[in-house]
Amino acid sequence: MESISHMRTRGMDMQQCIQNCLDCHRTCLETSIHCLGMGGEHASADHQRLLADCAQICLTSANFMIRESNFHKRTCGVCAEVCEACAKDCERLAGGDQHMIQCADMCKRCAESCRQMAA
Amino acid sequence: MESISHMRTRGMDMQQCIQNCLDCHRTCLETSIHCLGMGGEHASADHQRLLADCAQICLTSANFMIRESNFHKRTCGVCAEVCEACAKDCERLAGGDQHMIQCADMCKRCAESCRQMAA
Amino acid sequence: MESISHMRTRGMDMQQCIQNCLDCHRTCLETSIHCLGMGGEHASADHQRLLADCAQICLTSANFMIRESNFHKRTCGVCAEVCEACAKDCERLAGGDQHMIQCADMCKRCAESCRQMAA
Amino acid sequence: MESISHMRTRGMDMQQCIQNCLDCHRTCLETSIHCLGMGGEHASADHQRLLADCAQICLTSANFMIRESNFHKRTCGVCAEVCEACAKDCERLAGGDQHMIQCADMCKRCAESCRQMAA
């Protein structure tokens, strides 16, 4: 039964990763609008581009997993990198802003689960 | 306080509609792969097209609401129509298939909340 | 042969509308980054939201037409409205900026072909 | 002027790669509907999944390049792999079908330009 229990664990991990990717997609889009409202460096091309990259690769990775694609390891690998970069940029600009701190946390959580999927 | 409580209620409704749209996007993509595995009419262009339409307009409507776009009423109006058609087609083909019955239920729930948003 | 020639004409119109939508999707994403680089009102939530809305509904309408969906009239109707609003906002902010003038032109061309498809 | 001419060359390559990705996105969606109409193995989960993967990663890579993202090399790397796999599957199933042969050619062309971008 070890292999079946292992499969189930992997299955649970993937279900969680899909949900993390969809949640992170949503959070990055919300943060993008939030940051445009703040102006300054928050509305810079560099920060906005990272948020848009992160939202899109999260959705793409989620969909590859939902379709049970063999290539999901490859999209999750890229997703982990982008999420990590986005988390760092949100932390850099956060100050005490709760929305950006939560976005950084979400990106880190998504990066971690995508890294496991990519392994 | 009536207006504030009203605003909050609307806010809660929209939060729920966003989540319904994202959940319905995921469910329709899962159902698409599930139905391709079943073959026959489940793998027909007509049924697969509806599932793809539904997944895409649900994502689009979710993102318009996340961006707080004034046009979200228009995308939600289309989304309600597509979700309803998709629910009917899933019910028509479901037989006793639990996955398809759940997909039909999800589409109906999403159609209902999108209809409220579009009003 | 009238009906066939009519079908071909409609077919050509739709082919052109698909290409306009895909071109407008690309142009709005390019303009978004361009405007973030300019800063000020070009990087405001209102302008960036319109560009993001336009890019997304253009892609959605293109894909509905590519899939030969019966609902393409509905997505094209919304697309025409969003493209028109985006064209106006680009014109309002353009000054002599060639990129924004071209974006406004692209949005108007796409709005016109989507309006015909929606009819 | 060597560096500028080099930059221009790279710029032209990227412009071409963006267009290839958008064209390949469209072609794969068209082929998906075409193959569902043919039925049999053309409508199998394996073939349809590859077409959906290819359409989505092509769009994602196009958008990363349009946004001038530093991560475009990573998405283009995945895109080249998926396009190549999709080209092989279309060739395997093509028989004399002109649409599928053209789809395989488009995927190969896109794979080649994405491979150059990823380098």
Side-chain angles (χ1 to χ4, degrees):
Chain A
M1 290 304 151
E2 199 183 14
S3 64
I4 285 176
S5 121
H6 182 239
M7 259 176 50
R8 278 190 189 139
T9 312
R10 278 203 306 168
M12 294 272 287
D13 286 353
M14 191 178 281
Q15 293 303 318
Q16 189 57 57
C17 190
I18 291 170
Q19 201 54 56
N20 284 345
C21 284
L22 292 175
D23 290 347
C24 196
H25 167 76
R26 176 178 178 169
T27 301
C28 286
L29 290 183
E30 285 168 346
T31 304
S32 173
I33 285 291
H34 174 78
C35 285
L36 289 168
M38 298 176 84
E41 211 181 340
H42 296 81
S44 67
D46 282 348
H47 185 55
Q48 290 290 321
R49 180 189 292 117
L50 256 179
L51 288 165
D53 283 357
C54 197
Q56 187 167 26
I57 193 70
C58 281
L59 179 69
T60 299
S61 283
N63 290 5
F64 271 63
M65 287 185 281
I66 291 168
R67 277 193 294 270
E68 301 164 16
S69 164
N70 289 327
F71 291 102
H72 79 270
K73 281 168 186 282
R74 302 283 286 113
T75 56
C76 282
V78 182
C79 195
E81 284 183 51
V82 177
C83 283
E84 212 168 329
C86 191
K88 274 186 193 150
D89 214 45
C90 285
E91 277 181 339
R92 182 178 66 85
L93 294 171
D97 187 284
Q98 282 308 308
H99 190 106
M100 295 191 72
I101 292 167
Q102 283 170 20
C103 186
D105 288 346
M106 182 74 246
C107 289
K108 279 189 239 175
R109 206 155 54 243
C110 192
E112 178 57 26
S113 60
C114 280
R115 211 174 293 118
Q116 285 176 22
M117 280 301 124
Chain B
M1 290 304 151
E2 198 183 15
S3 63
I4 285 177
S5 124
H6 182 238
M7 257 177 50
R8 278 190 189 139
T9 311
R10 277 202 308 168
M12 293 271 287
D13 286 353
M14 191 179 282
Q15 292 303 318
Q16 189 57 57
C17 189
I18 292 170
Q19 201 55 55
N20 285 346
C21 284
L22 291 175
D23 290 346
C24 195
H25 167 75
R26 176 179 178 168
T27 301
C28 286
L29 290 184
E30 286 168 346
T31 303
S32 172
I33 286 291
H34 174 78
C35 286
L36 289 168
M38 296 177 86
E41 212 181 341
H42 296 81
S44 67
D46 281 349
H47 184 56
Q48 290 290 321
R49 180 190 291 116
L50 256 179
L51 288 165
D53 283 357
C54 197
Q56 187 167 27
I57 194 68
C58 281
L59 180 69
T60 299
S61 283
N63 290 6
F64 271 62
M65 287 185 279
I66 291 169
R67 277 194 294 270
E68 301 165 17
S69 165
N70 289 328
F71 291 102
H72 79 270
K73 281 169 187 283
R74 302 283 287 111
T75 55
C76 282
V78 183
C79 196
E81 284 182 53
V82 177
C83 283
E84 211 168 329
C86 192
K88 273 186 196 151
D89 213 45
C90 284
E91 278 181 339
R92 182 178 65 85
L93 294 171
D97 187 284
Q98 281 308 306
H99 190 107
M100 295 191 73
I101 292 168
Q102 283 170 21
C103 186
D105 288 346
M106 182 72 247
C107 290
K108 280 189 236 174
R109 205 154 57 242
C110 192
E112 178 56 27
S113 60
C114 280
R115 211 174 293 119
Q116 285 176 24
M117 279 301 123
Chain C
M1 291 302 151
E2 199 182 12
S3 63
I4 286 177
S5 121
H6 182 238
M7 259 176 50
R8 277 190 189 139
T9 311
R10 278 202 306 168
M12 293 272 286
D13 285 355
M14 190 178 283
Q15 292 304 318
Q16 189 56 57
C17 190
I18 292 170
Q19 200 55 56
N20 284 345
C21 285
L22 292 175
D23 290 347
C24 196
H25 167 76
R26 176 179 179 168
T27 301
C28 286
L29 291 183
E30 286 168 345
T31 303
S32 173
I33 285 291
H34 175 77
C35 286
L36 289 168
M38 297 176 85
E41 212 182 340
H42 296 80
S44 67
D46 282 348
H47 185 55
Q48 290 290 321
R49 181 189 292 114
L50 256 179
L51 288 165
D53 283 356
C54 197
Q56 187 167 26
I57 194 68
C58 280
L59 180 68
T60 299
S61 284
N63 289 6
F64 271 63
M65 287 185 280
I66 291 169
R67 277 194 295 271
E68 301 164 17
S69 165
N70 289 328
F71 291 102
H72 79 269
K73 281 169 186 283
R74 301 283 286 111
T75 56
C76 282
V78 183
C79 195
E81 283 183 52
V82 177
C83 282
E84 211 167 329
C86 192
K88 274 185 194 152
D89 213 46
C90 285
E91 277 180 342
R92 181 178 66 85
L93 294 171
D97 187 285
Q98 281 307 308
H99 190 106
M100 295 190 72
I101 292 167
Q102 283 170 20
C103 187
D105 288 346
M106 182 72 246
C107 290
K108 279 189 238 174
R109 205 153 56 243
C110 192
E112 178 56 27
S113 60
C114 281
R115 210 174 295 118
Q116 285 176 22
M117 279 300 124
Chain D
M1 291 305 151
E2 199 183 14
S3 63
I4 286 177
S5 123
H6 182 238
M7 259 176 50
R8 278 189 189 141
T9 310
R10 277 204 307 169
M12 294 272 288
D13 285 354
M14 191 178 282
Q15 293 303 317
Q16 189 57 57
C17 190
I18 292 169
Q19 201 54 55
N20 285 345
C21 284
L22 292 175
D23 290 346
C24 195
H25 167 77
R26 176 179 178 168
T27 301
C28 286
L29 290 183
E30 285 168 346
T31 303
S32 173
I33 285 292
H34 174 76
C35 286
L36 288 168
M38 297 177 84
E41 212 181 341
H42 296 82
S44 67
D46 282 349
H47 185 55
Q48 290 291 321
R49 180 190 292 117
L50 257 178
L51 289 165
D53 282 356
C54 197
Q56 187 167 27
I57 194 69
C58 281
L59 180 69
T60 299
S61 284
N63 289 7
F64 271 62
M65 288 185 280
I66 291 168
R67 278 194 294 272
E68 300 165 18
S69 164
N70 288 328
F71 291 102
H72 79 270
K73 281 169 185 283
R74 302 284 286 112
T75 55
C76 283
V78 183
C79 195
E81 283 182 52
V82 177
C83 283
E84 211 166 329
C86 192
K88 273 186 195 152
D89 214 45
C90 284
E91 277 181 340
R92 181 178 66 86
L93 294 172
D97 187 283
Q98 281 307 309
H99 191 106
M100 295 191 72
I101 292 167
Q102 283 170 20
C103 186
D105 288 346
M106 182 72 246
C107 290
K108 279 190 236 174
R109 208 155 52 243
C110 192
E112 178 55 28
S113 60
C114 280
R115 211 174 293 120
Q116 285 176 22
M117 281 300 125

